[in-house]
Amino acid sequence: DIMHTLCYGIIMRICSAILWRIVFQNSWGITGSKLARMEGAVKRLRMQMFRWQVDEGVKPDERIGDLTISGLGGEPDDGDFVDGVHAGGTMKFKAHETLGMCRFAVFIIDQYRDIPDWAKLKGCGYRLLEWYDSLKQLPFNVPGVHLPKLHTLMYEALILADEARLHHVPKFHFAGH
């Protein structure tokens, strides 16, 4: 189904890439070991996420309960990077939580415009959310008149994901096509 294939595929990758690139940019100037810098950055993002959920009126039962290094998939290793930037990995969230994380990531990225591929990441996330929200409003058998818009949004999202150096997950990537 769409929720699981896209949320565990490209949507998870875009969220992971945005959040990890913010963490590694260390705009807060956190000092200490690599782990201490990551923990400090994730704690700050966690506070911002909690505030965002309240400000956006996210229903309490739909809120993401925590944001940790483990939830972001654990401490990245060399295989998580392409050209020196985090390429998006797996996170430990349910499909609907991943969608909520994407909404947060697309919101929060504006505060961190100095991260690598900022515009491409934002554009990709925005198009994925617009695609999902548009599709959600349509009947199960999508009328053909809506397909060009949906195809264009997904096509542009996949191009931007590639340009932003995101990992592709073949099993889930195909769902976008």
Side-chain angles (χ1 to χ4, degrees), residues 13 17 21 80-88 115-118 120-121 159-168:
R13 303 297 171 186
R21 290 182 193 188
D80 293 318
F81 293 85
V82 172
D83 299 331
V85 296
H86 198 284
I115 66 170
D117 304 312
W118 170 82
K120 292 171 182 155
L121 293 168
I159 288 172
L160 289 167
D162 189 56
E163 291 176 351
R165 301 174 276 182
L166 263 64
H167 281 175
H168 292 289

Side-chain angles (χ1 to χ4, degrees), residues 24 30 52 65 73 75 77 88-89 93 97-98 101 110 125 127 129 132 158 169 174 177:
F24 286 119
I30 300 166
W52 172 82
E75 187 173 343
D77 60 31
F93 293 105
E97 291 175 324
T98 302
M101 285 302 294
D110 273 336
R127 282 166 179 82
L129 291 173
Y132 181 82
L158 292 170
V169 184
F174 181 71
H177 293 281

Side-chain angles (χ1 to χ4, degrees), residues 27-166:
S27 297
W28 306 278
I30 300 166
T31 59
S33 68
K34 179 182 173 186
L35 182 59
R37 291 190 311 270
M38 287 189 311
E39 286 174 343
V42 170
K43 284 179 184 176
R44 283 168 176 77
L45 284 173
R46 179 177 177 252
M47 289 186 301
Q48 290 175 303
M49 181 190 71
F50 288 155
R51 188 171 339 129
W52 172 82
Q53 290 180 125
V54 170
D55 292 348
E56 287 297 306
V58 177
K59 296 175 188 171
D61 63 331
E62 294 177 6
R63 291 183 185 166
I64 299 159
D66 206 359
L67 181 61
T68 63
I69 290 174
S70 175
L72 289 174
E75 187 173 343
D77 60 31
D78 291 342
D80 293 318
F81 293 85
V82 172
D83 299 331
V85 296
H86 198 284
T90 56
M91 301 186 306
K92 295 180 181 174
F93 293 105
K94 295 177 181 174
H96 74 280
E97 291 175 324
T98 302
L99 193 60
M101 285 302 294
C102 188
R103 294 185 192 287
F104 169 68
V106 169
F107 163 79
I108 201 70
I109 196 172
D110 273 336
Q111 295 179 27
Y112 303 97
R113 293 176 182 232
D114 56 345
I115 66 170
D117 304 312
W118 170 82
K120 292 171 182 155
L121 293 168
K122 180 178 174 72
C124 178
Y126 176 81
R127 282 166 179 82
L128 288 169
L129 291 173
E130 186 177 353
W131 182 90
Y132 181 82
D133 291 340
S134 296
L135 187 65
K136 192 174 171 184
Q137 295 174 11
L138 296 171
F140 181 76
N141 290 323
V142 178
V145 69
H146 298 285
L147 293 177
K149 176 186 176 186
L150 293 170
H151 289 162
T152 299
L153 287 168
M154 186 56 70
Y155 177 73
E156 289 174 353
L158 292 170
I159 288 172
L160 289 167
D162 189 56
E163 291 176 351
R165 301 174 276 182
L166 263 64

